[in-house]
């Protein structure tokens, strides 16, 4: 059989890593014992060096998916007209593959070797492509883009076949569940994930959970960027405190944070955080309208936060693929300890652009799936901000609902948690009636008095609407919002965190 196997025509150079004999032995074993075929989920037809072997493998797997026996007899009709099979004397080659029992003993080892050699060939292909592109100066030179593309290809190689690693026994999954409960208990209760720094949010959500895609949405002016920034800072600051208190890694509820700001620059975000910590107006800070003692507070806050584990990437116009690449690069920079990713905001990301005919809804669907994949691959929460459609403004009750998520229902589908920020005082401020004067009619005074009372009731309050939570209940949480310093904090009145329905 060895002579027949070596006579197979190949389209790849013979110098590439390969073991055609191992491929043949594995295929023979799969046809002899179909249970072996059922256990080769990691392999695909593309992992086989010899194209004919890849087609035989795909045919075997296809029959097994339909609960049919895969034998030389049942496979024969599929290869009657196969040109490569004809060169070997026809479908009788299938029977010859089962003639040796070598594959029955080492089937698992053969499958692993086939997979490993396929990875090496892919690495060679990526390397050759990188060299060819780097040597070609006829097009616009973009070395950074080429590096990012190469990193993306290498990640695909590393991620290939990950489904087997994702399979866990119930015992292992149960151990992880107990560890999560232990973490919540030792944090003082309520937090089993990454803390938001807001007791009211943690009480309802248990923090931000690993592998979850959390969508934080709102109309412009609601403060969604401010809330995301607050959460990112709180998580990073808690990480520093956990380290200082020598809390075991598995019990820490803080996180090192990667913040991808596609709208604001890094210095603008830093200004917000410093202003919040120093208790200063970020608007006055930008204008330089501060006194010396306030400047001293700002410098002190900056000094205290020098080692804050919060990295900001303010590159504009990222594609979802580039985001994946940059997150992995950030993960390496943080020694594999990146624990929370924030993206501000989803609609500013771009899709792969593979087809110029793709519409925006399809592009947003690709982006939301990509963010969920990122959360699962790195096993960290991804907090992504999102815009809402203008339909909210047309309603009398302007509290957002899931159908207001802009451009794609896939955002709702892919998200594990959907949060809306809503501030009644924002809309009340825009609807202030005519201000009364000493000569105004009585009804003008009455209207403004009613409005003033209502505005005072809602001023500085915000609602966090939990519209979807895959692992918990929905509802509303009250928060305080200090617009001057763009800071959300707990609503402490009577310790009543939950808003009335």
């Amino acid at each position: 059989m060895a002579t027949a196997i070596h006579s197979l025509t190949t389209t790849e150079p013979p110098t590439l890593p390969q073991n055609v004999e191992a491929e043949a032995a594995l295929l023979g074993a799969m046809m002899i014992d179909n249970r072996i075929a059922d256990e080769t989920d990691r392999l695909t037809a593309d992992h086989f060096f010899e194209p004919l072997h890849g087609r035989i493998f795909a045919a075997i797997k296809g029959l097994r998916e339909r609960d049919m026996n895969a034998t030389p007899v049942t496979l024969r009709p599929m290869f009657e007209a196969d040109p490569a099979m004809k060169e070997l004397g026809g479908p009788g080659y299938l029977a010859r593959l089962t003639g040796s029992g070598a594959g029955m003993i080492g089937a698992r080892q053969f499958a692993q070797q086939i997979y490993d050699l396929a990875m090496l060939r892919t690495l060679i292909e990526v390397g050759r492509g990188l060299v060819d592109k780097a040597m070609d100066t006829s097009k616009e030179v973009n070395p950074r883009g080429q590096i990012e593309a190469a990193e993306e290809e290498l990640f695909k190689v590393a991620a290939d076949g990950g489904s087997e690693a994702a399979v866990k026994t119930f015992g292992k999954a149960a151990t992880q569940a107990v560890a999560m409960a232990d973490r919540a208990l030792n944090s003082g209760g309520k937090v089993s994930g990454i803390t938001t720094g807001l007791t009211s949010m943690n009480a309802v959500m248990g923090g931000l959970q690993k592998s979850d895609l959390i969508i934080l949405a709102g109309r412009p002016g609601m403060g969604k960027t401010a809330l995301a920034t607050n959460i990112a800072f709180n998580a990073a600051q808690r990480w520093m405190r956990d380290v200082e208190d020598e809390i075991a890694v598995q019990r820490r509820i803080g996180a090192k944070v990667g913040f991808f700001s596609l709208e604001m620059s890094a210095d603008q975000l830093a200004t917000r955080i410093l202003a919040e910590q120093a208790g200063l107006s970020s608007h006055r800070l930008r204008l330089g309208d501060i006194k010396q003692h306030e400047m001293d507070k700002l410098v002190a806050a900056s000094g205290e936060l020098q080692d804050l584990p919060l990295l900001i990437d303010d590159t504009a116009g990222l594609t979802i693929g580039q985001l994946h690449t940059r997150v992995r690069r950030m993960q390496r920079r943080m020694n594999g300890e990146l624990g929370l990713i924030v993206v501000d905001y989803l609609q500013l990301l771009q899709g792969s652009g593979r087809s110029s005919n793709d519409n925006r809804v399809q592009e947003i669907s690709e982006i939301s799936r990509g963010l969920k994949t990122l959360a699962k691959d790195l096993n960290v929460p991804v907090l992504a901000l999102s815009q809402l459609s203008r339909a909210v403004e047309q309603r009398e009750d302007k509290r957002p609902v899931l159908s207001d998520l802009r451009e794609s229902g896939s955002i709702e589908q892919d998200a594990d948690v959907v949060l809306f920020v809503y501030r009644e005082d924002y809309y009340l401020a825009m609807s202030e009636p005519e201000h009364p004067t000493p000569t105004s009619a009585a009804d003008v005074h009455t209207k403004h008095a009613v409005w003033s009372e209502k505005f005072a009731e809602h001023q500085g309050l915000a609602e966090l609407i939990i519209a979807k939570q895959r692992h918990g209940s929905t509802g509303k949480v009250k928060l305080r919002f200090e617009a001057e310093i763009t800071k959300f904090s707990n609503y402490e009145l009577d310790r009543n965190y939950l808003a009335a329905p």
Side-chain angles (χ1 to χ4, degrees), residues 16-17 114-126 157:
L16 288 175
I114 291 167
Y115 173 76
D116 290 343
L117 292 172
M119 287 188 71
L120 290 176
R121 292 195 300 273
T122 305
L123 283 172
I124 292 170
E125 183 180 345
V126 171
V157 176

Side-chain angles (χ1 to χ4, degrees), residues 227-305:
L227 180 55
T229 305
N230 292 168
I231 291 171
F233 173 81
N234 292 340
Q237 188 180 51
R238 180 57 186 255
W239 172 270
M240 293 175 66
R241 199 192 322 160
D242 288 347
V243 172
E244 289 173 5
D245 294 343
E246 298 183 348
I247 295 174
V249 174
Q250 66 271 21
R251 290 187 172 182
R252 293 175 188 169
I253 61 173
K256 292 185 176 181
V257 183
F259 198 115
F260 290 84
S261 179
L262 285 81
E263 186 174 40
M264 296 174 64
S265 65
D267 62 292
Q268 287 174 325
L269 276 178
T271 299
R272 281 195 173 199
I273 291 173
L274 288 174
E276 175 200 334
Q277 293 308 300
L280 301 175
S281 164
S282 56
H283 176 66
R284 287 177 51 220
L285 195 59
R286 283 195 300 273
L287 296 176
D289 182 22
I290 57 174
K291 301 196 169 34
Q292 185 58 49
H293 74 278
E294 292 176 319
M295 186 65 190
D296 293 341
K297 289 171 65 177
L298 188 70
V299 172
S302 176
E304 291 172 4
L305 301 178

Side-chain angles (χ1 to χ4, degrees), residues 304-426:
E304 291 172 4
L305 301 178
Q306 284 297 312
D307 297 324
L308 189 72
L310 171 59
L311 294 184
I312 301 172
D313 187 327
D314 60 0
T315 308
L318 289 177
T319 66
I320 187 64
Q322 289 170 334
L323 177 70
H324 279 231
T325 299
R326 289 171 179 270
V327 166
R328 290 190 295 274
R329 192 180 297 165
M330 194 177 282
Q331 176 78 304
R332 291 194 297 271
R333 183 172 174 179
M334 290 186 169
N335 300 317
E337 294 178 335
L338 181 63
L340 171 63
I341 298 164
V342 182
V343 180
D344 183 16
Y345 56 92
L346 185 152
Q347 280 82 6
L348 290 178
L349 286 170
Q350 299 175 22
S352 62
R354 283 188 293 266
S355 170
S356 59
N357 295 324
D358 285 352
N359 61 38
R360 183 59 177 164
V361 171
Q362 291 172 330
E363 188 176 28
I364 292 294
S365 298
E366 179 192 350
I367 291 166
S368 66
R369 284 195 303 272
L371 290 172
K372 177 57 184 175
T373 300
L374 182 64
K376 287 196 69 177
D377 285 348
L378 293 185
N379 195 32
V380 300
V382 172
L383 176 63
L385 278 61
S386 179
Q387 292 281 25
L388 293 178
S389 69
R390 290 190 179 90
V392 174
E393 312 293 348
Q394 313 306 317
R395 299 194 300 263
E396 184 176 345
D397 183 357
K398 294 178 171 52
R399 286 176 177 81
V401 294
L402 287 170
S403 59
D404 293 322
L405 283 170
R406 187 172 170 183
E407 291 174 314
S408 177
S410 69
I411 298 176
E412 175 189 346
Q413 177 182 322
D414 295 325
D416 297 283
V417 179
V418 178
L419 308 172
F420 296 125
V421 186
Y422 174 74
R423 288 171 43 223
E424 182 74 13
D425 63 353
Y426 176 85

